[in-house]
Amino acid sequence: MTEHRVGVIGGGAAGLFAGCFLKKAGVDFCILESGNEVGRKLLITGHGRCNITNRKPSSDLKSGYHEAGNFVYPALKKFSPDDAVAFIQDELGIPLKEEDNNRMFPVSDKASDIRDALVRYIGEENIITNYKCTDLSKDGAVFVVEADDGRTMAFEQVMVACGGRSYPKTGSDGSGYELARQMGQNVTPLGPALVSVDVCEKDREFTSSLSGVSVNAGASLYYDNKKQTQETGDVLFTHRGVSGPAIMRMSRSIPRDIVSRDGWIELDFTPGRDEKEVDEELLREMDAHADTKLTTLASKYVPGSVAGELGKRAGVTDLYAAKVTREQRKAYVRELKHLELHIDNPPKYEEAYVTRGGVALKELKRESLESKIVPGLWFIGEIIDVDGISGGYNLQACMSEAFIAVSNLIK
């Protein structure tokens, strides 16, 4: 049975950065990866460009982690986005560039450059691939890790960085949760996050006709006949439903039994303005341009293609302003302010960028991410109950968590 001081289970972003920090500290370690290569999910982040971090101050980033913001904040302060940029550029040798909303990418626009630099820094001799961990136990002061083929390894301390359940084809298949449970840790309810939403067949006629069109809108999630949450931002129509930043932020709040709870998304194409105000403004436009189609006048609020499709739903297609009745105008404004798109099925883990839920935070030390239940056992990355919005937040969390875990481990 091979022995090392530290075992890192999982060769994703969190595990690889933990490997870098362990290597820099001169600690004996090895990374155990279930697949035939490490960093598979890292390769697809940022659509293959790798949005590695977001260069906002740590105090501003905190709000992007929802209810876990206060928990992850100490890690963000100890290893900030500026620290991450310095490490990647100065030690990994990968130049970065800043794009809109403080998002940081490699200058090459290649996620593979980040992954390959991490592997070089760690050293391939410290990485074992095709090692699928199925059992984790502690025998006295030693952790024993067993693979599905019967191989076993022993470690003084273990970091579990197996990822969540999202994009399972990259190795993030949820198996890490069972390892956590074997060690007595509780796992909070799981769900896909940062994922597109499919709508029912009737409403799909609307979204598919606008596939590829993006609008700024308010988006509200309803189920159990009650508004549950809301977002404002870009909404992208797809051939199956809706996507874009606002929808993806909202997706974490959609329950797995959403269909039986009659769920829908309501879009407001004039967020911040009430229905009466929009109706009166549109009426003035109609009075001033009686020989213009209502949908053409409405293109001041939304792209022309969206205005046309809303016209179909309101039954005013091809009607000129002079011919539109009061009821028809109000029906159009209702669609403009309260477009309902009913959810067809719960979002898919296979398409989600991250997982909501994971190892319960109350059982981890906030300053180090060491288990409160099992000394010498650490959890980092997507496996814990921390998920962030898109824009580099989740990779920054992985780096910051790996840093504080290693910093405390080597003490």
Side-chain angles (χ1 to χ4, degrees):
M1 183 163 56
T2 307
E3 296 187 15
H4 292 273
R5 180 180 172 191
V6 179
V8 179
I9 304 176
L16 290 173
F17 275 97
C20 287
F21 301 139
L22 288 164
K23 179 68 174 289
K24 185 176 181 179
V27 176
D28 173 42
F29 74 98
C30 77
I31 295 174
L32 305 177
E33 164 58 35
S34 62
N36 58 8
E37 63 175 334
V38 295
R40 286 175 289 166
K41 191 174 179 183
L42 190 61
L43 293 175
I44 65 173
T45 59
H47 302 288
R49 297 174 57 221
C50 193
N51 179 190
I52 191 63
T53 187
N54 188 298
R55 210 167 189 174
K56 289 186 177 72
S58 297
S59 56
D60 293 343
L61 283 185
K62 182 175 69 169
S63 62
Y65 298 96
H66 312 291
E67 60 277 355
N70 287 334
F71 181 89
V72 77
Y73 186 47
L76 296 174
K77 287 197 298 182
K78 288 286 179 62
F79 193 79
S80 69
D82 283 342
D83 294 326
V85 169
F87 182 82
I88 293 165
Q89 293 195 140
D90 299 342
E91 303 205 36
L92 296 185
I94 303 296
L96 301 178
K97 60 180 177 178
E98 186 168 347
E99 297 190 2
D100 61 291
N101 197 28
N102 306 108
R103 297 177 303 150
M104 302 298 297
F105 295 85
V107 170
S108 66
D109 284 331
K110 294 180 180 178
S112 57
D113 285 355
I114 298 285
R115 192 277 306 270
D116 294 348
L118 289 167
V119 172
R120 284 194 301 271
Y121 191 95
I122 292 166
E124 293 187 10
E125 69 278 5
N126 293 311
I127 298 173
I128 299 175
T129 56
N130 296 307
Y131 193 103
K132 175 71 172 178
C133 301
T134 55
D135 289 285
L136 174 62
S137 61
K138 192 173 186 183
D139 184 6
V142 176
F143 289 92
V144 178
V145 179
E146 184 173 346
D148 58 354
D149 59 6
R151 285 178 293 167
T152 60
M153 299 190 71
F155 303 98
E156 294 178 19
Q157 303 190 67
V158 165
M159 286 189 180
V160 183
C162 300
R165 282 191 61 184
S166 57
Y167 269 96
K169 64 182 180 181
T170 65
S172 182
D173 60 3
S175 59
Y177 301 124
E178 179 55 32
L179 298 180
R181 292 188 184 101
Q182 289 174 8
M183 300 305 294
Q185 305 285 154
N186 284 299
V187 176
T188 62
L190 306 173
L194 294 184
V195 61
S196 301
V197 178
D198 293 350
V199 300
C200 69
E201 185 174 353
K202 175 179 176 294
D203 292 330
R204 199 174 297 176
E205 294 177 11
F206 178 89
T207 66
S208 62
S209 67
L210 295 169
S211 183
V213 176
S214 181
V215 295
N216 183 268
S220 300
L221 172 66
Y222 285 81
Y223 59 84
D224 297 340
N225 291 313
K226 178 183 177 182
K227 181 192 284 191
Q228 304 292 337
T229 186
Q230 63 183 27
E231 296 282 350
T232 301
D234 288 341
V235 174
L236 175 69
F237 296 108
T238 74
H239 66 285
R240 286 172 22 196
V242 282
S243 187
I247 299 300
M248 296 182 81
R249 287 196 299 270
M250 176 185 292
S251 63
R252 71 189 301 272
S253 300
I254 299 176
R256 306 306 295 152
D257 59 350
I258 185 67
V259 176
S260 66
R261 299 169 78 169
D262 187 24
W264 73 89
I265 290 173
E266 180 181 282
L267 297 183
D268 176 3
F269 295 103
T270 59
R273 305 181 66 190
D274 64 36
E275 192 168 337
K276 183 174 182 292
E277 178 188 355
V278 174
D279 182 52
E280 291 174 348
E281 182 179 72
L282 187 57
L283 178 59
R284 290 194 297 271
E285 290 290 323
M286 291 167 62
D287 289 342
H289 305 281
D291 58 349
T292 303
K293 289 181 180 180
L294 173 60
T295 52
T296 301
L297 295 174
S299 62
K300 71 176 291 182
Y301 303 112
V302 290
S305 56
V306 178
E309 291 300 321
L310 291 175
K312 291 180 183 178
R313 288 178 70 107
V316 298
T317 303
D318 295 332
L319 284 184
Y320 287 86
K323 298 293 185 180
V324 175
T325 66
R326 177 179 182 275
E327 290 72 22
Q328 288 172 325
R329 185 190 77 245
K330 287 189 173 295
Y332 190 88
V333 173
R334 279 196 298 274
E335 295 294 337
L336 195 63
K337 293 293 294 182
H338 307 286
L339 174 68
E340 289 187 10
L341 300 172
H342 289 261
I343 299 172
D344 185 46
N345 48 56
K348 302 176 178 64
Y349 284 108
E350 291 78 10
E351 300 172 359
Y353 283 102
V354 294
T355 306
R356 179 182 185 177
V359 175
L361 301 183
K362 64 182 180 181
E363 298 174 354
L364 302 176
K365 298 176 182 178
R366 190 170 71 150
E367 70 279 4
S368 66
L369 298 178
E370 184 180 15
S371 169
K372 294 179 180 178
I373 299 171
V374 184
L377 179 64
W378 317 72
F379 293 91
I380 58 174
E382 196 181 333
I383 193 171
I384 69 174
D385 188 9
V386 174
D387 64 287
I389 62 176
S390 61
Y393 287 72
N394 289 289
L395 283 176
Q396 179 60 48
C398 286
M399 291 184 283
S400 296
E401 291 161 10
F403 180 82
I404 65 167
V406 171
S407 297
N408 282 272
L409 179 149
I410 62 179
K411 290 179 181 179

